Each structure stands twice: as C-alpha cells, then as structure tokens.
Amino acid sequence: MLAVIGENVVDLLPDANGMYRPCLGGSPFNVAIGAARQQIQVSYISPLSQDNFGRQFADYLRQNGATYGLDSFSRCPSSLALVSINEQLQPQYSLYRSGIADRDICADRQITALPPACQLLHLGSLALESEDAPRIRQVVAAAKARGIQIALDINVRLNAVSDPAAYRSFVLEMIQQSDFIKASDEDLQLLFAALALPDAIATIRQTAPAALLALTEGDKGAAIFWQDHQIRLPVITAVPFVDTVGAGDTFWANLLAALLKLGLPDASQCHAVQLEQCLTRAMLAASLNIASKGCNPPTLLQLDQAMENYQQSQV
C-alpha cells in the first residue's frame, strides 16, 4: 500500500481561446491518482479544502480507487497554479501557496493517518518547503520506525519556496532518508548548479548509496541506478505530442506501482530484466500521458494494452 503526502493544486491551463480551464493536479496528488489507476491501494494524507475544489479532489480520489486518508477538510482554500506552455511544450507554473489547505496539518495528525498496511510513503515537490520541514521530518521518522519505506520525487521548485538555500538543504536531508528517488536532469541542474550531470548523479548516489535513483532526461529517455544496476532506455515518443503536464508524475507513479507489485524488493533481489520491465512501463505510461492534455495517467488496462503493442513493435 502507498501513502502520499504533498500538494494538491488546481492547475489553470490555457485554452486556445485565451481562457483558462481548471484541472486538478499537484505533483504528489498526481502520483496518488497514477498509482491508483494501476490498482495499487493508495491513501492521500494531506488536507483537502472544504471549498468546491477540495470536494472535487476528494471525488476524484474516490472515482480512481484511492482514499482520502483524513477525517475532515481544511477551512483554508485550495492552492492554485497558473500554467503557461512554452515553445518546447513544457509547462511553466506561477504558484499560490500561502495559507492553503494541503499545508494545514500537524505532524501528529499526519502520523496517525499513516495506514496500518502502508509499505511505502511518497512525498516530494512542494512538500519539501523548508517552512514545513519540522513536520515532514517527524512524519518520515515515524514512518521509518514502522518499517515503511520512503519514496521521494525531488521535483525542484525554487520559484515557489520561501528560502531557496534552506529548501536545498532540506532536499538533501530527505534524499539521505529515502529508499526510492526520482529526479529529472533539470532537477539536478537546479539542485547542483556547479556540477555536470554525471557528477550530480554521483552525488545523489553517494548521499543515499542503497537507494534506487530514477532519472528522466526528456527526449533522451530515462535511467535507473540502483547499487550494481544501471539501466538506460531511449525515449518512447508520444503520438500525438500534446504537452508534458504531469508526465514526470505519471512516470514515477507507474514505476512505484510496478515495484510495489514486485513486493518492493531490494537491489539484490531484483533482476535486471525485471527492472527494465518496470522502467519500460513507467516510460510508456508517461508517453501515454503526454498524448493527452494535462495530467491523465493511463489505467491498468490501457497500459497493459500499450505494453503489448509496444513489445510487438520491438520484435
């Protein structure tokens, strides 16, 4: 079972007519939906607002087979993100994160919400805001004391945090605490501005030597580094290419789902063929997401069919 902590954000996506369309998102929330669509048991344990968007978030969790793991809604409003799409079809975000619902919780309440059957706790992105670090530290320590493993999506957001230096420091601290880590090449460039990509990868691996590191590199593909395992695969091109909103979240949700279905093995228990299969599923899921507007992770049936078609095309 997977528990998820982190932001739920209403993405305001631009339409061709110049108007904005609200879409439910936020990186950790997207991961919860993506994993649930792969029929993983998921509990989302950050607060939702009592406003109309918060109710929509709760309905969306339920419709996709996930649960809202708290017993009440916050009086604070839902967070908003104004999204623009650049010439490379990459999303750019202007975020509104002060006094919002998903940060309206104490550590004790979030610890209590960890499900008894939880195997893996995912967090990252704006959950790593340094102002929230004391709470996150307590929750992660309590989870690890119960034998729950930690999944972290670095997902660097320097333009949305109060103190970039403190934020970087806390990201590095959480990397040290994590068992499964995702980063993009852009994340590592922002986090380690003075380092070339291979050196940034080496720094992550030295900081968390037992952890799996999944690296996404846009049109160059993706890779897994896990102790003696090093697997690289070329990009699976999306047809059509619509936008990349939520692609990284979909990739990570599906990689975690595949690993959960293997029983969260450690590196010595996992064969290279199994890891390559997990990575292929994650990359194909991201490709399917890119082929539709906004974040729309595939269902298990859709991904299974796409995997079958993809494998046949490789023969």
Side-chain angles (χ1 to χ4, degrees):
M1 183 178 189
L2 175 68
V4 175
I5 287 175
E7 69 269 18
N8 53 85
V9 180
V10 181
D11 291 332
L12 300 175
L13 296 174
D15 279 334
N17 61 7
M19 302 296 286
Y20 284 85
R21 175 171 54 93
C23 295
L24 305 182
S27 177
F29 186 85
N30 291 339
V31 170
I33 296 298
R37 287 188 179 179
Q38 295 304 305
Q39 298 186 9
I40 297 296
Q41 284 186 293
V42 178
S43 180
Y44 180 72
I45 59 172
S46 284
L48 299 174
S49 175
Q50 66 181 9
D51 65 20
N52 184 55
F53 285 128
R55 300 294 174 175
Q56 289 183 42
F57 277 115
D59 289 344
Y60 196 44
L61 287 168
R62 184 171 57 253
Q63 291 161 7
N64 285 281
T67 60
Y68 177 44
L70 301 176
D71 57 6
S72 63
F73 290 77
S74 170
R75 295 181 180 180
C76 297
S78 297
S79 179
L80 299 176
L82 191 64
V83 184
S84 60
I85 307 296
N86 66 18
E87 292 179 357
Q88 291 74 44
L89 300 179
Q90 300 289 325
Q92 309 293 314
Y93 299 91
S94 296
L95 288 146
Y96 299 84
R97 294 289 301 159
S98 296
I100 46 82
D102 62 66
R103 300 174 70 184
D104 183 28
I105 192 168
C106 66
D108 287 346
R109 187 173 174 221
Q110 216 151 35
I111 291 167
T112 300
L114 286 167
C118 183
Q119 302 162 272
L120 185 64
L121 171 63
H122 166 71
L123 53 90
S125 191
L126 296 173
L128 302 179
E129 160 66 64
S130 58
E131 291 179 350
D132 299 329
R135 168 173 55 86
I136 295 297
R137 280 193 194 98
Q138 292 179 61
V139 176
V140 167
K144 290 173 74 72
R146 282 179 42 183
I148 297 170
Q149 297 192 67
I150 306 300
L152 179 74
D153 183 358
I154 295 173
N155 203 6
V156 174
R157 292 287 184 263
L158 290 177
N159 64 334
V161 298
S162 58
D163 184 337
Y167 167 79
R168 280 192 178 94
S169 177
F170 187 53
V171 170
L172 291 172
E173 180 184 332
M174 285 297 101
I175 287 170
Q176 224 171 5
Q177 296 296 318
S178 297
D179 303 285
F180 303 93
I181 301 164
K182 175 195 167 287
S184 69
D185 51 352
E186 293 175 344
D187 291 329
L188 296 187
Q189 184 179 22
L190 289 168
L191 195 61
F192 305 107
L195 299 181
L197 182 60
D199 295 326
I201 293 168
T203 299
I204 296 281
R205 298 188 71 194
Q206 290 163 8
T207 303
L212 177 150
L213 171 62
L215 176 73
T216 60
E217 296 186 80
D219 60 7
K220 296 178 184 177
I224 285 177
F225 304 91
W226 199 11
Q227 297 183 36
D228 293 334
H229 295 293
Q230 291 194 28
I231 299 169
R232 289 185 178 272
L233 293 177
V235 69
I236 300 175
T237 304
V239 180
F241 193 111
V242 178
D243 66 49
T244 62
V245 175
D249 305 328
T250 297
F251 169 90
W252 190 227
N254 281 271
L255 184 58
L256 294 180
L259 291 167
L260 279 161
K261 289 179 180 181
L262 289 177
L264 288 182
D266 61 36
S268 64
Q269 298 169 321
C270 205
H271 300 295
V273 172
Q274 290 175 306
L275 271 184
E276 184 172 330
Q277 184 84 348
C278 291
L279 182 57
T280 301
R281 284 187 71 88
M283 293 175 68
L284 186 55
S287 178
L288 293 172
N289 184 87
I290 291 169
S292 63
K293 192 172 181 64
C295 185
N296 185 24
T299 64
L300 179 61
L301 181 62
Q302 289 170 332
L303 185 54
D304 283 347
Q305 184 60 62
M307 277 289 291
E308 183 178 335
N309 295 339
Y310 178 75
Q311 289 169 340
Q312 288 175 354
S313 74
Q314 300 303 297
V315 175

